[in-house]
Amino acid sequence: MESKRSSFTGKLGFVLAAAGSAVGLGNIWRFPYLAAKYGGGIFLLVYIALSVTFGFSLMIAEIALGRKTKLSAIRAYGSLDKRFSFVGILCSLVPVIILPYYSVIGGWVMKYMFGFITGKTAEMAQDTYFNSYLGITVEPILWFLLFIGITALIVLLGVEKGVEKISKIMMPILIGLIVFIVAYTLITMDGAWDGVVYYLKPDFSKFSLMTVVAAMGQLFYSMSLAMGIMITFGSYMKKEINIEKSVKQIEVFDTGVAFLAGLMIIPAVFAFSGGNEAALGQGPGLMFVTLPKIFDAMPGGSFIGAAFFVMVLFAALTSSISLMETVVSIFMDKLKIGRKVSILVVLGGSLLLGVVSSLGYSAWADVKVLGMQFLDFFDFFSNSLLMPIVALATVIFVGFILKPKAIIEEVELLEPFKFKKLFTAVIRFVAPVCILIILVSSILTAFGIVSI
Ligand code: TRP
């Protein structure tokens, strides 16, 4: 089976496919709300610093591991060292947990898209709209079902390629719209520039360990690291393609989109709240509360809002499709079932977890797991717990068992590996220490032992 692995065509094919799966709600929804919450400039600085050292090294390691073994994550670790088979299994759990709640947020995106199409812009721009919408029991579940249903249908019919083609056209339009919205906010809205300062100027007094925990979790999430995805991508990558260059391109693109999304949301929050910093700490709803206000203030805003959410929907769909594909193939492999059955199993499991995530905001709002409601808990469990464990195991594995040399050789098949010293230092020393600190602190905070 392995010898028949298909591969990406063309030089850009790999980068585009990997970037298409990496850019999604993580960049547009998750990054801005975390940056707003964790101190703006300081979060951005920590994120970029982690991305060029840690993200760079881990992505190189994962892609090279995949290309070297030509195996997907579940088997790649075990095939090189039996003791590390558990990492493959932990990796596989991550997309299983992410897919359901990702689709709940995909449902929110669809709801807002239809809101703009039907001209409810002024209504959606009200402060309380988002929270009262989430408080409804049934409607958000229906939108979630629609979103995950479309994802499953695309995977079932095998028309992912078509969606990817459309999204290649949508992506530049989305970026263009974001730039337009940024320009509009900065030119027309009083107080927006204070937001730019907050976003770009690091305030070191706002630094805490939690900034690093959040930034690292976001880095994993946004670049689809520490979950085996890049290993699988690597297993399809041709030997003629330069891993180091591809990684740099994916990182610049992914971080660029996230950066712009932050610039779109944070200054607007300042403008609409009159500089009240409390408005920054809203959490997951930030984008859904802020954007309608911008569109409401803009001539032709309903149309632009609708167009914007259509593009976001496509970005979200390419990610959810790739998430579902991953989970479906894991279940096919592990349970030895056919593709159709696997899709049904994955859909069933996701419906269950997704409905629970959605009810966590409404009927079950009082039920808490470790002090978090369900969606936050799933997000925390995958991003702050599983991914750091997988990342730690990966760097120990690559640094001390497989040895960095094996990865460097794979990268250097074509051209010299420019940053190989940085790579080795990060994989062997910096990353293990950092991740360990992060892991311990997120466990301690989750159990309420310390607050950081
Ligand atoms: N990186 C994606 C985003 O930013 C989300 C994501 C996480 C993902 N894990 C994934 C996408 C696995 C595809 C496959 O939205």
Side-chain angles (χ1 to χ4, degrees):
M1 208 170 78
E2 251 55 63
S3 61
K4 280 202 229 120
R5 274 192 124 61
S6 55
S7 47
F8 296 102
T9 45
K11 265 213 161 113
L12 260 179
F14 175 80
V15 172
L16 284 178
S21 128
V23 174
L25 293 174
N27 308 63
I28 296 155
W29 152 76
R30 206 171 183 278
F31 182 85
Y33 98 67
L34 289 175
K37 186 168 166 185
Y38 293 107
I42 189 72
F43 181 87
L44 188 65
L45 184 71
V46 171
Y47 185 84
I48 291 175
L50 286 176
S51 145
V52 295
T53 50
F54 194 75
F56 171 77
S57 306
L58 197 60
M59 199 185 287
I60 293 219
E62 289 197 12
I63 293 179
L65 208 57
R67 192 167 78 175
K68 205 175 169 61
T69 56
K70 294 257 170 285
L71 291 172
S72 60
I74 293 203
R75 277 178 288 165
Y77 289 95
S79 81
L80 293 167
D81 188 324
K82 279 265 167 303
R83 288 170 299 171
F84 278 78
S85 323
F86 79 98
V87 189
I89 298 182
L90 283 185
C91 271
S92 322
L93 256 174
V94 176
V96 174
I97 296 171
I98 293 184
L99 174 65
Y101 83 81
Y102 198 84
S103 304
V104 170
I105 297 154
W108 301 351
V109 169
M110 289 187 114
K111 158 78 184 173
Y112 272 67
M113 182 183 87
F114 275 88
F116 285 110
I117 291 175
T118 51
K120 295 215 182 82
T121 313
E123 208 180 307
M124 292 192 297
Q126 272 152 25
D127 274 333
T128 52
Y129 184 85
F130 181 72
N131 280 329
S132 41
Y133 168 67
L134 280 193
I136 304 172
T137 305
V138 181
E139 196 188 334
I141 295 184
L142 295 179
W143 286 108
F144 153 70
L145 293 180
L146 188 63
F147 183 88
I148 196 148
I150 294 175
T151 306
L153 198 66
I154 294 168
V155 174
L156 185 69
L157 297 177
V159 291
E160 299 85 339
K161 288 272 170 307
V163 179
E164 265 164 35
K165 273 204 189 112
I166 305 175
S167 101
K168 262 176 217 162
I169 306 167
M170 298 285 191
M171 196 72 83
I173 305 179
L174 175 65
I175 296 172
L177 271 178
I178 296 179
V179 172
F180 171 76
I181 298 166
V182 170
Y184 185 86
T185 316
L186 294 185
I187 293 169
T188 66
M189 291 178 193
D190 288 338
W193 284 97
D194 295 337
V196 177
V197 173
Y198 176 81
Y199 184 45
L200 297 183
K201 195 168 158 226
D203 175 352
F204 288 90
S205 70
K206 291 205 166 75
F207 179 85
S208 76
L209 207 50
M210 205 51 212
T211 322
V212 189
V213 173
M216 189 170 280
Q218 173 60 16
L219 184 74
F220 293 150
Y221 189 94
S222 187
M223 301 199 178
S224 315
L225 291 172
M227 56 182 96
I229 298 286
M230 287 297 159
I231 299 185
T232 308
F233 264 110
S235 73
Y236 293 110
M237 188 193 212
K238 285 189 180 153
K239 298 275 183 198
E240 301 86 85
I241 295 185
N242 184 318
I243 297 183
E244 189 179 15
K245 271 194 194 136
S246 304
V247 167
K248 283 180 189 158
Q249 284 166 352
I250 299 168
E251 283 208 311
V252 168
F253 190 64
D254 192 78
T255 309
V257 175
F259 173 77
L260 281 175
L263 202 54
M264 166 176 80
I265 306 274
I266 294 176
V269 175
F270 269 77
F272 288 113
S273 68
N276 175 8
E277 291 204 2
L280 293 165
Q282 291 185 40
L286 192 64
M287 158 179 140
F288 295 92
V289 175
T290 311
L291 283 175
K293 291 181 202 258
I294 309 180
F295 294 130
D296 192 40
M298 194 185 265
S302 298
F303 176 75
I304 297 173
F308 179 83
F309 274 89
V310 171
M311 312 301 156
V312 175
L313 179 64
F314 268 89
L317 273 175
T318 48
S319 292
S320 67
I321 291 167
S322 145
L323 275 164
M324 190 179 270
E325 284 278 2
T326 311
V327 182
V328 165
S329 64
I330 291 170
F331 280 37
M332 279 168 70
D333 265 14
K334 281 277 144 186
L335 307 177
K336 306 263 176 292
I337 49 179
R339 192 175 156 80
K340 287 209 176 98
V341 181
S342 182
I343 294 176
L344 280 179
V345 173
V346 171
L347 188 61
S350 306
L351 289 183
L352 197 78
L353 292 183
V355 168
V356 168
S357 307
S358 191
L359 286 177
Y361 283 101
S362 53
W364 295 349
D366 295 331
V367 188
K368 297 262 153 65
V369 192
L370 296 179
M372 291 171 250
Q373 19 129 309
F374 290 110
L375 194 146
D376 285 344
F377 172 73
F378 290 136
D379 193 69
F380 171 83
F381 186 68
S382 50
N383 284 274
S384 306
L385 233 53
L386 279 180
M387 295 190 211
I389 294 175
V390 171
L392 183 61
T394 306
V395 292
I396 292 176
F397 178 67
V398 172
F400 298 97
I401 311 276
L402 186 69
K403 304 275 154 63
K405 206 168 148 261
I407 300 289
I408 293 171
E409 273 167 15
E410 184 66 34
V411 177
E412 288 198 323
L413 284 179
L414 289 175
E415 286 162 70
F417 182 175
K418 282 204 197 106
F419 288 92
K420 71 176 159 207
K421 288 218 177 84
L422 174 88
F423 170 80
T424 312
V426 170
I427 288 286
R428 282 208 143 156
F429 307 108
V430 185
V433 175
C434 286
I435 307 172
L436 197 63
I437 296 174
I438 280 178
L439 195 58
V440 171
S441 48
S442 49
I443 293 172
L444 293 181
T445 12
F447 289 94
I449 299 168
V450 291
S451 69
I452 48 174

